[in-house]
Amino acid sequence: MDIHRCRFVPYPPSAINALAFSHPSNPTAKGKGPATLRLAIGRANGDIEIWNPLKGSWFQETTLRGGKDRTIEGLVWTQDPDEEDREGWKIPGKLRLFSIGYSSTVTEWDLELGKPVRHSSGISGEAWCLAAQPRLQAKDLRSDDINTTGQLEGQHLAVGCADGAVVLLSTADGDLRYLRTLTRPSTKRARVLSITFKNKDVVIAGYADSTIRAFDIRNGQLLRSMSLGAGPAGGPREILVWSVKCLPDGTIVSGDSTGELRFWDGNNFTLIQRLKSHVADILDIAVSADGESVISGGMDRRTTIYRRTGSGKKGDRRRWAESTHQRFHSHDVKVMATFETKNLSVVASGGLDTTPIIIPFREFGKEYYRTLSSLPQSPQVQSAPAKRLLMSWWDREVSIWRIYGSPNSRRDSEGLGNEASDRTRRLLARIVVKGEENITSASISANGSLLAISTISEIKLFRLRQRKTDSADALRVSKVEVPQRFHKGGAKLIAFSPNVNWLVVVGTGNSIQTFRMIKDQASKDEVRLLSAVGMKRIHRERVKQTLQHGSLGNYDRSIIRLAFSEDSRILVVGDLSGYIDSWVLEGHEDLTQDIDDDAGDAKSSSSSSDDGSDDEEKHQTVILGQHWIRNPAATLLPKLPSAPLVLSFRPSAPSSFIPIVNGNTAVHPTRHNPHPHSHDLPAGEDRLFVLTCEHHIYEFEILRGSLSEWSRRNPTQILPAEFREVRDRSMGCLWDVNKERQRVWLYGSGWLWMFDLAKDFPPLHKVNEIIRTSGGSDVSKNNRKRKLESSDSNGEDLRKHDSGAGSKVPESELKTGIGRKIRRTMGPESTESQWTLLDAPSSPESGEDDEAFPNTWSAVTGLRRGPAEGKPNGHAGSAVEVDDEHVTDGDAAMVVRKADEGPGWWSTYKYRPILGIVPIGAADQADGQVSRSHNHEDGPPGIEVALVERPMWDVDLPPRYYGDQEWDK
């Protein structure tokens, strides 16, 4: 594979300003959180990312797009009271997400639609902080918690404003409305910088005038004002209270601009203790569910954890002490959020370095932390290989580049001239979308002639043409006039079919529409959009959710991935719940048919795509001899165990030519049917490659509704262990298919893996034999070292048992507890001594490393795979040759095997962070053609791709704080 490493593509990540978990901590609950647990991350550009912890896998599900001059400064979740249906069954209350952002409104977001659903009113000044009332438990209910209709009131929101006011909002009855103002702006108009609920009746607010105030929300009474005193000498007079939190026992914890953490008695509101643990402002704090630990982050980049000392017995005075501190971030730590269950205990932190970090809370120091990617899960780059175009987008801007190859290939490129041979790339166009909304999706056609851009409010279509008057390589961009029904409404996903005949649009309500595109007969250079055809998904019965877990409504049916087959006659979509819906294009193209622009409008106006009716089968919309129908085998496709990250059809060689009459095979016009259409189904490649967010790989034969032969022989359990242990989720895939190989390249933000699907994976009981037959090669040593590092001295897998962040730290690396090294002296001279690590695992003898590969081979797996002899994808031997030339700079080695000696896979971690990988250049590998720029003696070349990297050192960040004893200046 030829790789163009591209670092010129603009994508500036935005700072993290807000974090919020959808559920409160419950340390007695088993497992790693409820199924509806989500983490919302608010960024400075107005985007909100929704992450699913997924029992420690951390998968970015979707992004709620912001807009021009918008920002997210605060996030909270609430849960509506439970309801009852007509049969008396209880329905769990809906989870709702609210945000603020330097404006006088509070916004509620609809996760399913991906856009705001309502805004508040009654706030006089800018909202600076936001807090939600604790969720009511049945044992804590009072008469005033129930309204006149006998229903619970729900949770209130407290908003701190820039003019000093604290406003209370009600979320009752699924609405968001003004309730009352707890305190009016004072003459000093000190900003409310932080706010929290001590209990369901008392609000604690931190101000910019060195005070913390407590209010009773039932009557608006000021209970107490706590003063922090004057600022330090030589500094500002006023102390800014950046964060306030409350422990379960009512103790108030504050962090301020002096770097001090203060503890206040929750009953008489007096100062208990103060700790100076930061050399600069403490920007946020978080507390544990049991009230025994506090963690803080600040401008000095430190993350500090505090523990309560003492036994808690009567007469034993308990104090707080700093336990340890560490720098996880490279810039200010602005926000923190915690969530804890019996098996999950994490702190999510973020700041100006744009990177979310998951820190183990209960097991702090005993487990590694986890760094999540600051780049989007769905790549925001695409390509037009036929024209060597690379398209990227961010916020409201789209950039189109041309990537040049070797000098020979540059001169031979169509219409580029000799000037292209002197450079490797050129920016051809930059498009700024008018309006206030950020781009939700963009797509460029495979031939580089069309560009589609969507926001949550509208869709725009552009025509791309080469400038004929200019000698230099340039692109002319012109807007295509489209019908009003296409322009309005917006979309969350948009994509062209490979043959550029169809444009599929997934609306904000998950409605699916396909538009047929043809060239306008009046002007051959223009494009005309025909009728929209609505696509209905299969109705799925919903699983009843646990009451205490809450409900996300139909959010789990949100479509996140779509894919066309290579011949553009099969369309599939996947949603968050793991369902795959598919449609096929029936018939053959007949350009002699009359065109009716309004043929499909009546059936394409549905707001929901989840419908079990057969209307589309009874009222088929035929466009140019073809029409979309639901895949006859669609109901046979199983539900995936988790959401699909990658949906991609396996490419194939071009099919043979079939003579057609009037565009339809064996169909003749009659007097009563002058334009007949065929009912033939697609006959091309229908194998769909699927990778889930748990990194399970499946391949389905879509038209049969079953697993492919390769997938039957290769279950997920026998995938390479290193791939199954990769923490970062996959972002996409590319194919390298020809007569000799069928390779799929998978990539994430920090890794690149190749699997050859022309070969099977070896069963687990043969992996050891493969390694042992490689002798003392470097690859065998590296693999053995990696296995030993992933287990402790007792042989326990460190990656399997964690509390939601990273793997366990080996005992030999722990910095706590008794010493783990002894000094052994040989002879009278002390210089002849050596240190011995007590917990160091011994070097395995021959056959000792068998335990590193658990034997999960079973008779059922053997039956799925069948005998290896005589099968085209079988493996007869287990010998391995290792090409040492592939081992450079610590990268993983490429294991070279003969075609009949087992599977081939390869991986590297040298590229990071990856924004996306797209193919560049014409796809001639399938025909075995070799480009002049390559000199391959071992067979056809691999694909040519552009690998887009966005390293953080290229991102412009504001100056950071440097204090004393800073060695990384």
Side-chain angles (χ1 to χ4, degrees):
M1 182 168 68
D2 287 343
I3 296 178
H4 298 267
R5 300 183 70 172
C6 306
R7 293 183 178 176
F8 54 82
V9 177
Y11 183 83
S14 297
I16 298 176
N17 292 339
L19 293 169
F21 280 100
S22 58
H23 293 69
S25 296
N26 186 1
T28 61
K30 297 181 180 180
K32 291 190 174 182
T36 54
L37 177 65
R38 298 295 185 272
L39 171 65
I41 300 179
R43 295 189 178 270
N45 65 346
D47 290 350
I48 301 177
E49 299 173 1
I50 305 298
W51 288 75
N52 186 348
L54 204 65
K55 300 179 180 179
S57 296
W58 295 99
F59 158 53
Q60 182 183 336
E61 292 183 336
T62 186
T63 300
L64 311 178
R65 299 294 179 181
K68 182 181 179 182
D69 299 329
R70 299 180 192 173
T71 182
I72 301 296
E73 296 296 326
L75 290 169
V76 295
W77 295 79
T78 64
Q79 181 178 340
D80 287 342
D82 300 333
E83 300 177 355
E84 290 187 1
D85 58 13
R86 297 178 180 178
E87 299 178 357
W89 293 95
K90 286 190 176 182
I91 303 174
K94 184 179 180 180
L95 293 170
R96 301 165 65 184
L97 177 63
F98 300 88
S99 71
I100 58 173
Y102 287 155
S103 65
S104 59
T105 61
V106 176
T107 302
E108 181 180 357
W109 294 82
D110 190 313
L111 299 187
E112 182 184 358
L113 299 179
K115 59 183 180 181
V117 64
R118 60 177 57 89
H119 302 277
S120 69
S121 59
I123 301 178
S124 57
E126 292 182 352
W128 271 69
C129 50
L130 179 66
Q133 190 181 32
R135 297 177 185 176
L136 296 177
Q137 304 295 330
K139 61 180 181 179
D140 301 327
L141 293 181
R142 297 195 313 247
S143 58
D144 56 349
D145 296 326
I146 302 177
N147 58 21
T148 56
T149 61
Q151 300 294 327
L152 292 177
E153 288 286 352
Q155 295 175 256
H156 296 326
L157 301 181
V159 185
C161 303
D163 58 3
V166 176
V167 178
L168 202 64
L169 303 177
S170 172
T171 64
D173 302 324
D175 200 359
L176 179 63
R177 61 180 183 271
Y178 171 80
L179 196 60
R180 68 176 66 92
T181 299
L182 300 182
T183 177
R184 294 294 177 182
S186 61
T187 55
K188 298 177 61 174
R189 292 185 175 270
R191 298 189 304 271
V192 184
L193 300 178
S194 54
I195 195 168
T196 189
F197 276 85
K198 177 176 175 289
N199 51 50
K200 70 185 189 66
D201 296 327
V202 178
V203 168
I204 307 298
Y207 284 75
D209 61 352
S210 305
T211 58
I212 300 174
R213 296 179 174 91
F215 300 94
D216 191 327
I217 65 172
R218 293 170 294 184
N219 50 27
Q221 179 184 359
L222 174 63
L223 300 178
R224 187 65 61 89
S225 179
M226 296 162 277
S227 175
L228 278 71
R237 181 179 178 181
E238 304 291 348
I239 297 177
L240 309 179
V241 185
W242 289 117
S243 180
V244 289
K245 292 292 189 297
C246 291
L247 300 179
D249 62 0
T251 301
I252 303 169
V253 188
S254 67
D256 54 55
S257 57
T258 64
E260 286 189 349
L261 189 75
R262 309 193 187 206
F263 296 87
W264 308 79
D265 189 291
N267 296 321
N268 53 28
F269 303 104
T270 58
L271 181 64
I272 300 176
Q273 187 180 355
R274 52 198 291 183
L275 295 173
K276 177 70 174 179
S277 55
H278 291 260
V279 296
D281 301 37
I282 294 179
L283 299 180
D284 201 9
I285 53 179
V287 300
S288 63
D290 59 4
E292 296 297 317
S293 301
V294 175
I295 191 169
S296 64
M299 192 180 296
D300 58 357
R301 296 173 284 129
R302 278 186 177 185
T303 299
T304 306
I305 190 165
Y306 314 84
R307 307 286 190 188
R308 194 186 304 219
T309 62
S311 61
K313 297 181 180 179
K314 186 176 181 180
D316 185 7
R317 185 179 181 185
R318 306 194 67 184
R319 304 286 291 175
W320 288 89
E322 177 183 343
S323 175
T324 183
H325 70 267
Q326 191 173 344
R327 284 194 174 100
F328 301 104
H329 291 270
S330 60
H331 217 293
D332 299 4
V333 185
K334 291 191 65 176
V335 287
M336 288 181 165
T338 62
F339 181 79
E340 294 182 86
T341 63
K342 195 171 183 179
N343 303 107
L344 182 72
S345 178
V346 295
V347 178
S349 64
L352 296 184
D353 61 0
T354 76
T355 303
I357 291 182
I358 308 300
I359 305 169
F361 200 2
R362 190 183 304 125
E363 301 296 325
F364 190 92
K366 299 179 182 179
E367 293 180 357
Y368 293 110
Y369 67 94
R370 172 84 178 276
T371 301
L372 305 182
S373 176
S374 61
L375 302 178
Q377 182 70 51
S378 181
Q380 295 189 189
V381 292
Q382 286 190 14
S383 68
K387 297 294 185 181
R388 303 185 65 88
L389 298 180
L390 172 65
M391 183 268 294
S392 68
W393 74 92
W394 61 279
D395 288 353
R396 296 177 298 112
E397 182 177 313
V398 177
S399 300
I400 302 177
W401 308 75
R402 193 178 316 268
I403 309 298
Y404 303 117
S406 64
N408 290 333
S409 62
R410 294 175 206 164
R411 295 190 182 95
D412 294 339
S413 298
E414 180 182 356
L416 300 185
N418 292 330
E419 292 187 8
S421 62
D422 299 329
R423 50 183 177 267
T424 59
R425 67 181 186 271
R426 181 182 177 86
L427 178 62
L428 303 183
R430 190 174 70 92
I431 304 169
V432 179
V433 179
K434 293 182 179 179
E436 300 293 328
E437 308 295 338
N438 286 348
I439 297 174
T440 57
S441 181
S443 180
I444 188 171
S445 60
N447 59 10
S449 62
L450 292 172
L451 173 67
I453 302 174
S454 67
T455 66
I456 61 174
S457 59
E458 61 180 351
I459 304 173
K460 297 184 178 181
L461 190 63
F462 298 92
R463 180 65 183 252
L464 309 177
R465 285 172 286 189
Q466 189 75 26
R467 289 183 181 270
K468 299 181 180 180
T469 57
D470 297 340
S471 59
D473 186 17
L475 202 63
R476 178 183 176 187
V477 181
S478 58
K479 188 175 180 180
V480 176
E481 296 297 330
V482 295
Q484 187 73 10
R485 60 180 179 273
F486 174 83
H487 180 267
K488 296 295 182 182
K492 63 166 60 175
L493 283 176
I494 192 167
F496 291 101
S497 63
N499 61 6
V500 203
N501 284 345
W502 297 91
L503 176 64
V504 61
V505 175
V506 179
T508 55
N510 294 297
S511 61
I512 307 171
Q513 294 180 327
T514 56
F515 293 84
R516 182 62 161 89
M517 297 181 297
I518 62 172
K519 290 186 177 181
D520 196 343
Q521 298 297 329
S523 177
K524 295 184 178 181
D525 291 336
E526 297 299 330
V527 177
R528 181 181 174 191
L529 262 65
L530 302 184
S531 303
V533 180
M535 318 285 274
K536 299 294 183 181
R537 291 192 288 169
I538 300 175
H539 177 71
R540 317 281 186 176
E541 293 293 336
R542 296 186 57 83
V543 179
K544 293 185 178 181
Q545 297 171 328
T546 308
L547 290 176
Q548 62 267 27
H549 293 172
S551 171
L552 291 172
N554 292 323
Y555 170 68
D556 60 340
R557 294 305 314 277
S558 298
I559 298 173
I560 57 173
R561 297 292 184 271
L562 64 86
F564 273 101
S565 63
E566 189 181 33
D567 60 1
S568 303
R569 296 191 63 185
I570 305 177
L571 171 65
V572 297
V573 298
D575 58 32
L576 288 173
S577 62
Y579 287 112
I580 295 179
D581 291 273
S582 57
W583 298 268
V584 295
L585 187 60
E586 190 180 61
H588 300 277
E589 187 178 40
D590 183 4
L591 297 177
T592 63
Q593 278 197 359
D594 295 333
I595 299 173
D596 184 6
D597 288 347
D598 299 326
D601 289 347
K603 293 177 283 300
S604 64
S605 58
S606 176
S607 61
S608 175
S609 65
D610 192 358
D611 191 359
S613 66
D614 296 329
D615 291 343
E616 62 180 29
E617 306 294 340
K618 298 177 182 178
H619 307 284
Q620 299 172 349
T621 302
V622 180
I623 301 177
L624 300 179
Q626 295 177 309
H627 62 279
W628 288 97
I629 64 170
R630 182 178 297 157
N631 177 21
T635 56
L636 300 179
L637 293 174
K639 179 180 180 294
L640 299 174
S642 55
L645 284 180
V646 175
L647 293 178
S648 180
F649 283 90
R650 187 190 293 208
S652 62
S655 59
S656 58
F657 175 75
I658 302 178
I660 58 177
V661 178
N662 262 354
N664 291 282
T665 304
V667 176
H668 303 278
T670 64
R671 181 174 62 181
H672 299 288
N673 188 12
H675 297 286
H677 66 274
S678 171
H679 294 275
D680 292 342
L681 295 178
E685 182 64 78
D686 69 332
R687 285 179 292 181
L688 177 68
F689 180 86
V690 180
L691 176 68
T692 69
C693 59
E694 294 179 342
H695 277 192
H696 294 174
I697 292 179
Y698 307 94
E699 189 179 53
F700 296 101
E701 294 181 359
I702 291 297
L703 297 182
R704 294 178 57 188
S706 62
L707 289 172
S708 67
E709 290 297 325
W710 179 90
S711 191
R712 291 176 183 272
R713 296 191 305 269
N714 296 272
T716 298
Q717 290 80 0
I718 65 172
L719 291 175
E722 185 181 352
F723 175 75
R724 288 186 280 114
E725 294 169 354
V726 169
R727 296 266 182 188
D728 294 333
R729 301 297 89 183
S730 177
M731 299 172 62
C733 77
L734 301 97
W735 290 93
D736 181 11
V737 176
N738 56 31
K739 298 178 181 179
E740 298 183 3
R741 56 179 178 260
Q742 297 186 23
R743 295 176 178 173
V744 58
W745 292 84
L746 300 170
Y747 66 92
S749 61
W751 53 268
L752 180 64
W753 271 79
M754 183 278 296
F755 296 108
D756 193 342
L757 302 189
K759 306 172 184 178
D760 288 345
F761 298 116
L764 293 180
H765 72 281
K766 291 188 177 182
V767 174
N768 293 335
E769 181 183 355
I770 292 177
I771 294 179
R772 285 195 293 270
T773 55
S774 63
S777 64
D778 291 340
V779 178
S780 178
K781 295 177 182 178
N782 289 340
N783 287 340
R784 184 173 297 151
K785 178 181 178 182
R786 184 164 293 179
K787 288 183 292 180
L788 294 177
E789 289 178 348
S790 64
S791 60
D792 62 8
S793 58
N794 298 322
E796 181 184 6
D797 189 354
L798 299 175
R799 297 172 181 260
K800 291 184 178 179
H801 307 285
D802 59 67
S803 61
S807 306
K808 282 188 176 181
V809 178
E811 293 182 4
S812 59
E813 298 181 13
L814 287 176
K815 299 179 180 180
T816 59
I818 63 174
R820 288 175 168 80
K821 292 190 296 183
I822 61 174
R823 186 178 182 181
R824 182 181 181 185
T825 303
M826 303 292 293
E829 300 293 336
S830 60
T831 56
E832 298 179 4
S833 63
Q834 63 180 13
W835 287 96
T836 301
L837 191 62
L838 295 178
D839 300 322
S842 58
S843 299
E845 301 293 339
S846 176
E848 276 191 7
D849 56 347
D850 291 348
E851 296 181 359
F853 293 90
N855 188 5
T856 59
W857 181 261
S858 63
V860 177
T861 308
L863 290 175
R864 292 181 63 179
R865 294 176 59 85
E869 298 179 0
K871 289 188 176 293
N873 291 340
H875 47 83
S878 58
V880 184
E881 292 181 14
V882 178
D883 187 356
D884 292 337
E885 294 179 358
H886 290 279
V887 186
T888 57
D889 299 330
D891 294 339
M894 175 66 178
V895 180
V896 182
R897 300 179 179 87
K898 296 182 180 179
D900 59 345
E901 288 186 339
W905 63 80
W906 180 84
S907 64
T908 183
Y909 301 89
K910 68 182 295 184
Y911 306 106
R912 62 179 59 189
I914 299 175
L915 179 62
I917 306 178
V918 293
I920 292 293
D924 56 4
Q925 289 83 0
D927 298 330
Q929 301 177 10
V930 182
S931 175
R932 301 184 200 176
S933 60
H934 304 277
N935 183 17
H936 295 267
E937 299 178 357
D938 299 331
I943 56 177
E944 183 181 5
V945 301
L947 189 150
V948 182
E949 295 175 291
R950 287 303 298 155
M952 286 305 301
W953 58 78
D954 285 350
V955 179
D956 293 331
L957 297 177
R960 70 182 186 185
Y961 173 83
Y962 286 104
D964 297 334
Q965 298 184 350
E966 294 278 349
W967 293 279
D968 54 350
K969 295 182 180 179

